[in-house]
Amino acid sequence: MTLSIFTSSPSSTLFFGLFIVLTLATLAIKCWLSWRQIRSVKQHRAHVPVDFTGHVTLSSHQRAADYTVAQQRFGMLESAWSTLLLLGWTVFGGLNLLNHIVQPLTGSGLWYGIVLILAFFLINGILGLPWSLWSTFRLEHRFGFNNMTAGLWVRDLILSTVIGLILGVPILALILWLMGAAGSLWWLWAWLAFAAWQLLLMVLFPVVIAPLFNKFKPLEDGTLLQRATNLMQRCGFQAKGFFVMDGSKRSAHSNAYFTGMGKSKRVVFYDTLLTKLTPDQMEAVLAHELGHFHYKHITKRIVMIMVLSLLAFAVLGWLSQQVWFYTALGVQMNTQAPNSALALLLFMLAGPVFTFFIAPIAAQFSRKDEFQADAYACQQANGEDLRSALLRLYEDNASTLTPDRLFARFYYSHPPAVERLAHLNAQT
């Protein structure tokens, strides 16, 4: 397959070169950061950091170190594969070949675009299955986190695929139709449809989608339920209820979260969390989550996502009209069918390459939000209980206590353990 650069315009050649440079730079930086993380964790594996002495055992610290190293090595291999796959779909002509197969079979109507995109996701999903299997049944199993059976894994795969088709095909069809029928401002109408769809999913997820994968039972621990209710009332919040999710059937990891919007908003505890934390610690964790609502972190994040998605649709609206956008990424534009589906797929493939380097900015804002939520928890509950809960979760989830500073700045959405506990100590 001939690279597009050999048969393209100057604009196409320039964009091709930029895409290749950023793609390889992204892979190089990912591997370099992973190498730094591995080096840092290995250097501190032999001893528990001073700040955690007496709280985290040496065996737990070393287990977390080994888990982190295994994750990073797996991540580097997966990143290399993803890069090869990206280049295969684009400049080496994979998407162009798929288009030449699909278009004659489906004609030039709306179904052409839908079938092309679904075929792409089907092939891409199949190529990613070995990585998912290895992560779940080798890496997670090796460190005692995987509780999923092969049957449950297959069930989840089938169910998520069916739900994806039911929820995704209608919005996909609407966007493709708008691209062809709504004129030069199609991207604005498409964004409005996409935004409404996203908000609908937020409402549907806790009451319709999530129960298809997990069982949610009302919290039965009377003491914890009363404390949680009192805390919510004290903080001026309401929720549909408190639920316990059977997360243990898939993983030994623990978590708690708020989900939903409006009347569908609810508090969910993993069943694994209830077995690991005391009522005092659970109250402190819940107070932290309430801190995110107090400071409107969730609302701000939703607004930011909507703004960025509007910008993305506007850019797509412009790029979809540029011949060089297609040729630079290895695709020959259709002459007998609309190019809307090709534009969507190419934008989806190339977009992460051009946005990768803003990831540290988003991570920085997220860490700031976590510090604020921790401070709020210290005001509404006992800061020492939150501190001890975090220590327990760090240990049980095998979270490294000695990450590389630059790696953490680039990726971590939560502050590293040392920084977070120091901040908590300053609050109490």
Side-chain angles (χ1 to χ4, degrees):
M1 188 68 65
T2 304
L3 290 176
S4 60
I5 188 174
F6 298 130
T7 58
S8 56
S9 66
S11 296
S12 180
T13 301
L14 179 62
F15 188 74
F16 169 86
L18 181 62
F19 173 72
I20 293 296
V21 168
L22 289 179
T23 298
L24 297 180
T26 296
L27 176 61
I29 290 173
K30 284 181 178 180
C31 292
W32 176 63
L33 289 172
S34 291
W35 172 79
R36 288 181 60 98
Q37 178 79 331
I38 291 172
R39 183 184 63 176
S40 176
V41 169
K42 280 187 170 183
Q43 286 177 344
H44 299 91
R45 184 183 184 278
H47 303 284
V48 177
V50 175
D51 293 338
F52 300 94
T53 302
H55 301 286
V56 176
T57 65
L58 178 60
S59 61
S60 295
H61 172 65
Q62 292 179 334
R63 174 172 175 256
D66 295 341
Y67 181 53
T68 301
V69 169
Q71 283 182 312
Q72 294 307 311
R73 287 173 174 167
F74 177 81
M76 284 193 285
L77 291 174
E78 189 174 25
S79 294
W81 169 250
S82 297
T83 300
L84 288 174
L85 198 58
L86 172 62
L87 294 176
W89 277 119
T90 54
V91 297
F92 287 106
L95 182 57
N96 193 55
L97 175 61
L98 180 63
N99 184 52
H100 286 164
I101 295 173
V102 170
Q103 198 274 321
L105 297 176
T106 59
S108 59
L110 182 60
W111 275 109
Y112 150 69
I114 295 174
V115 171
L116 177 65
I117 291 176
L118 292 181
F120 167 83
F121 277 108
L122 174 63
I123 296 170
N124 211 51
I126 292 174
L127 293 174
L129 286 180
W131 299 95
S132 176
L133 285 167
W134 187 274
S135 175
T136 300
F137 293 104
R138 292 298 298 270
L139 196 155
E140 292 293 306
H141 180 76
R142 172 186 168 191
F143 291 93
F145 289 122
N146 177 53
N147 295 328
M148 185 178 290
T149 63
L152 181 58
W153 186 88
V154 172
R155 177 187 177 276
D156 282 354
L157 177 63
I158 295 173
L159 185 58
S160 59
T161 300
V162 171
I163 293 174
L165 289 172
I166 293 173
L167 296 177
V169 171
I171 187 64
L172 172 61
L174 178 57
I175 290 175
L176 289 174
W177 178 80
L178 288 170
M179 292 178 76
S184 60
L185 289 179
W186 69 262
W187 55 269
L188 180 58
W189 298 108
W191 172 76
L192 289 172
F194 176 78
W197 180 73
Q198 288 281 84
L199 293 175
L200 178 62
L201 288 184
M202 292 179 190
V203 174
L204 292 179
F205 178 80
V207 295
V208 177
I209 302 173
L212 296 175
F213 293 90
N214 290 95
K215 293 180 180 179
F216 293 83
K217 296 181 179 180
L219 180 62
E220 297 177 348
D221 186 321
T223 301
L224 179 57
L225 178 60
Q226 187 59 52
R227 296 186 67 159
T229 301
N230 293 341
L231 175 64
M232 294 280 285
Q233 293 175 346
R234 188 165 69 246
C235 296
F237 289 95
Q238 292 183 345
K240 183 70 174 178
F242 301 91
F243 296 87
V244 178
M245 187 186 83
D246 59 341
S248 59
K249 73 178 184 179
R250 289 183 176 82
S251 173
H253 288 295
S254 302
N255 201 0
Y257 64 92
F258 276 86
T259 185
M261 294 179 63
K263 293 183 179 180
S264 67
K265 187 164 53 180
R266 57 181 59 189
V267 182
V268 177
F269 302 104
Y270 281 40
D271 55 356
T272 49
L273 190 68
L274 297 180
T275 64
K276 295 175 181 177
L277 301 185
T278 67
D280 289 338
Q281 293 171 333
M282 290 291 295
E283 182 181 14
V285 170
L286 179 57
H288 168 88
E289 297 300 329
L290 288 173
H292 287 303
F293 279 89
H294 175 78
Y295 289 108
K296 296 181 172 56
H297 294 156
I298 309 301
T299 301
K300 292 175 182 177
R301 201 162 297 174
I302 292 173
V303 171
M304 181 59 65
I305 291 173
M306 293 302 178
V307 170
L308 291 176
S309 65
L310 174 60
L311 177 61
F313 270 100
V315 172
L316 175 59
W318 174 67
L319 287 175
S320 63
Q321 303 301 313
Q322 311 303 315
V323 176
W324 52 260
F325 174 62
Y326 299 87
T327 57
L329 297 178
V331 170
Q332 181 182 1
M333 294 181 69
N334 294 319
T335 57
Q336 303 298 322
N339 291 284
S340 304
L342 287 174
L344 278 174
L345 288 172
L346 289 175
F347 188 76
M348 181 198 69
L349 286 165
V353 173
F354 290 87
T355 58
F356 172 75
F357 297 95
I358 67 173
I361 300 174
Q364 174 63 28
F365 280 113
S366 180
R367 290 193 299 270
K368 180 182 177 182
D369 290 348
E370 294 301 324
F371 280 135
Q372 281 190 320
D374 281 350
Y376 183 83
C378 291
Q379 296 169 7
Q380 303 298 331
N382 189 311
E384 183 56 36
D385 288 332
L386 180 59
R387 184 179 185 276
S388 61
L390 290 174
L391 282 168
R392 180 64 189 273
L393 292 177
Y394 286 138
E395 185 173 13
D396 288 345
N397 290 326
S399 300
T400 181
L401 304 176
T402 59
D404 174 71
R405 184 176 180 83
L406 188 57
F407 182 95
R409 288 290 175 269
F410 201 97
Y411 286 118
Y412 276 27
S413 60
H414 288 60
V418 172
E419 293 181 21
R420 191 170 186 182
L421 294 183
H423 183 265
L424 277 174
N425 290 336
Q427 302 294 316
T428 56

